[in-house]
Structures are given as structure tokens and as C-alpha cells.
Amino acid sequence: MMNGAMAQTIPPAHKMGIKVVEADRGRAVATVPFEGNGNHFGVVYAGVQFTVAEMLGGVIALATFDPAKYYPLVKNVDIKFTGMARSDLRAETSLSEDEITRVEAEAAENGKADFTLDAVVKDEAGQTVSVTHGLYQLRARGR
């Protein structure tokens, strides 16, 4: 469902070939191919690495919280590049049950709640090529 919706909601991510491979309560994983996403010196373009990690905030929010009541948005994301990405990539992140409970209660009471996510982007060999720290917000619909 999320992969189909991505073509409509985030066309650039869809064009990059980003695929959501896991979207469960408190967990999100996405992949992006190397093919078509390289830069002038043969590694995955930095913007592609950023996108595959950043969009996990929306994926995890939609998989964890009721999308009929809430929607996610990104407030800030910092990225650190730690290695050369020369293969397909996998990005993943998670939220603890305690954090899920806090965010849901705060959003229900105040109409919105901030949460942070740390994502790790790895190459096919399992080497970390970038890490992100993002500030996201869950907002109540109609408020």
C-alpha cells in the first residue's frame, strides 16, 4: 500500500526507486537501488541517501498511528555521511513502545506531538554509509 501511495504523494522518492520493505508498529525499513542513483564519482548521490532515511518518519507514523486521526510532518533532519555508498541501500528506524504511547497521548491532548527518529543507512555489505537524526511531528487531523 505505501509503495503505491508513494508514487502519488512523493513522486521524486518513487522515481528514485525507493521501496518500503517493512512498515510495522514502531518499525520502518526502506531500500533504494544504486542503479540510476549514482553521482559524478560513482557513489549513491547524497540526496538519495537523505531521502531514503528521511521518508521513514512518514512511514513509521502511518504504520504506527491511526492515519484517519493523524498525519506526520518533518521538522528537521540532520545527516552524517560515514562511508561511500556503492551498492543498493537499506535504511531503517524504530520507535519504542514507551515513545509511541507518549506521542499518541500528547497528540490526542494537544493536537500535535514531536518525536525524534534516528535512521541508519547501510550498503549491501552491511556497512553504515550514513546516519540521520530527525525531528518529526504527529498532527491531529481537523485541529
Side-chain angles (χ1 to χ4, degrees):
M1 175 191 83
M2 289 199 192
N3 289 317
M6 192 181 328
Q8 302 298 318
T9 59
I10 316 171
H14 176 73
K15 289 178 184 175
M16 289 175 195
I18 293 174
K19 300 280 186 221
V20 175
V21 295
E22 290 182 42
D24 300 308
R25 180 176 175 84
R27 182 164 166 75
V29 180
T31 60
V32 66
F34 174 80
E35 184 69 31
N37 289 312
N39 65 12
H40 60 288
F41 60 95
V43 299
V44 176
Y45 174 60
V48 173
Q49 292 184 55
F50 178 88
T51 303
V52 74
E54 179 278 325
M55 54 86 63
L56 293 176
V59 172
I60 204 166
L62 293 171
T64 303
F65 305 104
D66 183 352
K69 291 182 181 178
Y70 303 105
Y71 65 94
L73 60 82
V74 62
K75 293 178 75 175
N76 183 69
V77 177
D78 294 315
I79 189 166
K80 181 177 180 181
F81 299 99
T82 60
M84 297 293 205
R86 294 187 173 97
S87 69
D88 293 358
L89 300 177
R90 176 183 172 95
E92 57 185 90
T93 193
S94 62
L95 270 177
S96 71
E97 279 299 321
D98 287 345
E99 183 67 349
I100 291 168
T101 300
R102 181 198 67 78
V103 169
E104 197 161 38
E106 188 176 316
E109 183 176 328
N110 301 325
K112 61 185 176 180
D114 288 350
F115 63 98
T116 59
L117 289 175
D118 294 309
V120 177
V121 181
K122 294 183 178 187
D123 65 14
E124 288 180 329
Q127 297 298 310
T128 300
V129 296
S130 58
V131 292
T132 61
H133 179 76
L135 177 62
Y136 297 84
Q137 189 172 81
L138 189 69
R139 287 200 175 179
R141 294 189 182 278
R143 285 184 101 177

